[in-house]
Amino acid sequence: MKFFEEKRREVMVHIEKFMLEKMNEYLKPIDTIWQPSDFLPDSSRDTFFNEIKELQESAQGLSYDLIAVLIGDTITEEALPTYESWLTMVEGVSRNEEGGWMKWTRHWTAEENRHGDLLNKYLYLSGRVDMRMMEISTQYLIADGFDIGTGHDPYRNFIYTSFQELATNVSHRRVASQAKKDGDTLLSKMCGVIASDEARHAKAYKYFIEKIFEVDPSEAMIAFEDMMRKKIVMPAHFLREVGLKIGQTFGHFTDAAQRLGIYTAIDYVDILKELIEDWHIESTTDLNEAGEKARDYIMNLPARLLRVADRMKNPMLEYKFTWING
Ligand SMILES: [Fe+2]
Ligand SMILES: [Fe+2]
């Protein structure tokens, strides 16, 4: 066990310099990147009330399921304190408070923080949401934390974040196009800019894993296999509403997403395929026996998952969320 952790720390030191070199590519300068207020009505101007009226009129066209998904996405973004505190516990990150990995974590958090901020303000202004109910769910989710099966292992964590940033990219992108169809161009723009942040973050985490594959292919492969065997759980899998037990709302949220085609079982497989391709899994050599087995398992997985996805029925139950008015 001692050896395992030492090796992980060594590899983190090794890839830190590559991360620092690329940081400006993967995170945008703070002074010039978009801010929530670029998209929201400006309360210091006398056009404010008219703008809110317009915002509410367009929000009226959004379907019930879309509002539900948007709230779930917002709460997921708002649980950022969980993700930041967990990243700092990853082996090799907090080795040095002023070190590169802590810098990455803080800057990534700062960029992510705008997502929940923007969506929350939009939902508040939209008039479609029981904000108190949503806020209770948010507080619960942060208090409940999550259990994503990565331990403190940087390999498993960065595989998870690679997957997760791609998943949030898909989901925000689809909400953007659905919102546009429903006639809400402002919301569509908002989700579009968030989606492009997520795409950039995905590139970063994929790059870290690519670098890990260069120096420790067998262990990286085994970590990938392990994460896929456990299945990548969504960060909001503990989602609940007032009076419910931990995780009891999550399935209803994912049902709505599946029904609308915002994030589906097929998307899960597509993301897996993308990672297999980007990390050149098929042509990775230099593996020990366990690494070879892990690679074979991963290579066979997309076809297996597709067969399962084919048999899945679209969820029919239209659940009444406490979050949504009327
Ligand atoms: Fe985000
Ligand atoms: Fe993200």
Side-chain angles (χ1 to χ4, degrees):
M1 205 59 202
K2 186 96 187 19
F3 175 74
F4 177 92
E5 282 157 13
E6 257 166 41
K7 182 79 198 283
R8 292 307 204 242
R9 279 198 290 270
E10 243 174 59
V11 171
M12 285 293 275
V13 170
H14 168 74
I15 64 170
E16 181 175 340
K17 51 184 180 295
F18 299 103
M19 179 273 291
L20 285 170
E21 263 169 31
K22 292 269 197 173
M23 201 153 134
N24 292 338
E25 194 180 310
Y26 296 138
L27 297 171
K28 292 287 171 203
I30 295 171
D31 285 357
T32 48
I33 197 171
W34 66 268
Q35 295 297 335
S37 59
D38 299 339
F39 300 92
L40 291 159
D42 180 348
S43 63
S44 70
R45 291 167 48 159
D46 45 13
T47 50
F48 183 55
F49 293 103
N50 266 335
E51 284 178 55
I52 292 178
K53 218 175 141 241
E54 273 169 34
L55 186 151
Q56 294 204 344
E57 276 164 15
S58 343
Q60 278 310 315
L62 303 173
S63 71
Y64 188 91
D65 273 346
L66 190 63
I67 291 282
V69 170
L70 192 57
I71 294 172
D73 284 352
T74 305
I75 296 171
T76 307
E77 295 284 354
E78 294 270 55
L80 189 56
T82 301
Y83 319 138
E84 186 185 26
S85 60
W86 145 84
L87 270 175
T88 63
M89 289 190 299
V90 170
E91 203 64 62
V93 168
S94 62
R95 193 176 44 91
N96 170 6
E97 173 59 26
E98 291 310 312
W101 285 110
M102 281 302 288
K103 184 174 174 190
W104 166 266
T105 302
R106 284 193 302 266
H107 279 249
W108 171 83
T109 302
E111 226 186 78
E112 281 284 341
N113 188 54
R114 299 163 309 137
H115 299 171
D117 191 5
L118 175 59
L119 294 176
N120 186 308
K121 281 172 180 147
Y122 169 84
L123 287 172
Y124 167 64
L125 293 173
S126 75
R128 297 282 310 268
V129 179
D130 184 328
M131 287 306 290
R132 185 160 213 284
M133 290 302 163
M134 178 179 147
E135 286 157 357
I136 288 173
S137 285
T138 304
Q139 187 171 349
Y140 262 125
L141 188 62
I142 296 171
D144 292 337
F146 63 6
D147 179 15
I148 51 176
T150 60
H152 298 172
D153 176 15
Y155 298 7
R156 284 168 175 76
N157 273 283
F158 291 158
I159 288 163
Y160 179 84
T161 48
S162 297
F163 197 105
Q164 203 43 57
E165 296 282 4
L166 289 172
T168 50
N169 168 261
V170 169
S171 138
H172 289 303
R173 194 151 38 81
R174 299 260 175 77
V175 172
S177 55
Q178 196 61 51
K180 198 171 180 184
K181 271 189 214 146
D182 290 350
D184 193 332
T185 48
L186 179 66
L187 177 62
S188 178
K189 264 188 224 156
M190 291 176 182
C191 293
V193 288
I194 294 173
S196 66
D197 281 1
E198 312 292 21
R200 228 175 342 94
H201 299 161
K203 273 191 202 145
Y205 288 114
K206 282 194 293 184
Y207 177 68
F208 304 159
I209 290 292
E210 196 184 310
K211 287 309 214 190
I212 292 172
F213 264 112
E214 283 174 16
V215 291
D216 197 4
S218 291
E219 280 295 307
M221 196 67 80
I222 292 164
F224 192 12
E225 177 204 15
D226 182 47
M227 288 309 294
M228 295 318 300
R229 277 188 192 277
K230 286 174 183 153
K231 297 191 184 70
I232 305 287
V233 297
M234 296 294 123
H237 65 130
F238 283 165
L239 190 63
R240 57 161 123 179
E241 289 158 274
V242 67
L244 296 184
K245 289 202 185 70
I246 217 168
Q248 280 189 337
T249 302
F250 181 70
H252 299 301
F253 161 53
T254 54
D255 278 358
Q258 173 91 28
R259 243 188 330 260
L260 275 182
I262 300 287
Y263 184 77
T264 68
I266 304 289
D267 293 318
Y268 186 95
V269 182
D270 285 343
I271 291 171
L272 172 60
K273 282 193 203 155
E274 184 175 335
L275 294 176
I276 288 174
E277 189 121 343
D278 287 354
W279 292 332
H280 315 289
I281 298 300
E282 191 167 15
S283 55
T284 304
T285 45
D286 274 345
L287 296 169
N288 61 25
E289 211 186 310
E292 297 264 353
K293 276 193 186 142
R295 186 192 57 205
D296 294 345
Y297 173 83
I298 296 163
M299 287 310 299
N300 290 324
L301 191 56
R304 271 181 45 200
L305 290 177
L306 275 180
R307 286 196 293 275
V308 178
D310 274 345
R311 287 197 298 268
M312 267 171 67
K313 293 196 186 70
N314 231 12
M316 293 306 288
L317 176 71
E318 305 244 353
Y319 173 75
K320 285 288 291 167
F321 293 90
T322 58
W323 307 325
I324 303 173
N325 289 329

